[in-house]
Structure formats: structure tokens, C-alpha cells
Amino acid sequence: YFFRDPDARVPEGPGLVVAPAHGPVDVIDEVEEPVVLGGRCRRVSIFLSVFNVHVQQAPVAGSVSLVRHTPGQFLNALKLESAALNENVLLGFQSTEPDGGPVAIKLITGLIARRIVPWVQPGDVVAKGERVRLIQFGSRVDLYVPLRARITVSLGDRVVGGETVMARLEG
């Protein structure tokens, strides 16, 4: 049951950014993300308990611009500082949407989750909602979008990877 991998019903439409993971939204804020977005951006964080699906999807259609593994700790992923201190993989995407620009997701290990299984590499072209990674046994996934993006979810919303529209990229 833990390794289930349902097919996503990916919504159609220009500028839509879909959830990269399944679970409740527990942080919406602005942060610095210097590697992919080049500075200040919006972050929407999803906590994945052991009961959530742990396959992650591409939030936008485009090319994979970065896959960067960073070693770190294995703090409880419920704690927000886990995003900065825990082992993680940062995935950058260059959206093919008109005026889409860069979008990133950070897959963060947790107290139990200690393995991130890669399915894409830099240069790969992905469809919105396509499977890109697996984090085993609970974790956190941060979505980074440009400041001009309009966030369409609220704290506490339960999102479905590849299906729930999390933001709209607006020119």
C-alpha cells in the first residue's frame, strides 16, 4: 500500500502549476531560492506522512534544468527547519508555458524517509504531472514559484500530486 502510484488526472490550461506531491499544505511563504529561481520567490510546502502517496510529479511541463543532491540531517519532516537542514534533492524545471520561467521543487527526507529515488536527469523533457521521484517513508516537498505566480491553495488544503492546481503563472 505504501508504494502505490496512482495515475494523475492532470488539468489542462495555460500557466497552471500542479502539486508535486500528495498531502496537506502546511507552509505558504516567501523565501530566497538562489539556485533555480535566482532569489526571492513563493514557497508552498507539503508534508507527506507515511499514509500519503510518495511519488512526486513535475509541477510544470518543460525541461529538467537541475538535479542537485545535498547531504544533511534526518530531522522530523513536520519541523519546518527540516527544509534547510535535512538531506534533499532540488529539481529545477524550465517551463515551456509562455512566460513560465523557472520552477523548482525540493524533495526533503525526514526522520524515517532516508531515500530519494531519482527518475529524471538534467536535460530530460517532462510533461506536467509526470512522475519524477520517489521519497520513501514520509517527508516534505517544497514547491518554489516566481513571485508573480498566484497561489491557489490555502494552508491545510490536502493536495493531490499531478492534479491539484497550486499556482497560476501570470505574466
Side-chain angles (χ1 to χ4, degrees), residues 8-59:
R9 294 182 309 256
V10 183
E12 300 280 333
L16 301 181
V17 179
V18 298
H22 295 66
V25 172
D26 66 348
V27 175
I28 300 173
D29 61 3
E30 289 185 15
V31 296
E32 293 291 324
E33 197 300 298
V35 179
V36 177
L37 278 96
R40 200 110 184 116
C41 64
R42 297 187 190 285
R43 173 177 62 172
V44 182
S45 190
I46 303 164
F47 174 73
L48 289 71
S49 78
V50 295
F51 301 109
N52 294 114
V53 172
H54 284 75
V55 172
Q56 287 77 52
Q57 282 84 11

Side-chain angles (χ1 to χ4, degrees), residues 114-130:
R114 295 186 177 227
R115 188 160 179 231
I116 300 172
V117 180
W119 292 344
V120 294
Q121 296 302 318
D124 287 354
V125 174
V126 295
K128 186 184 315 179
E130 183 176 331

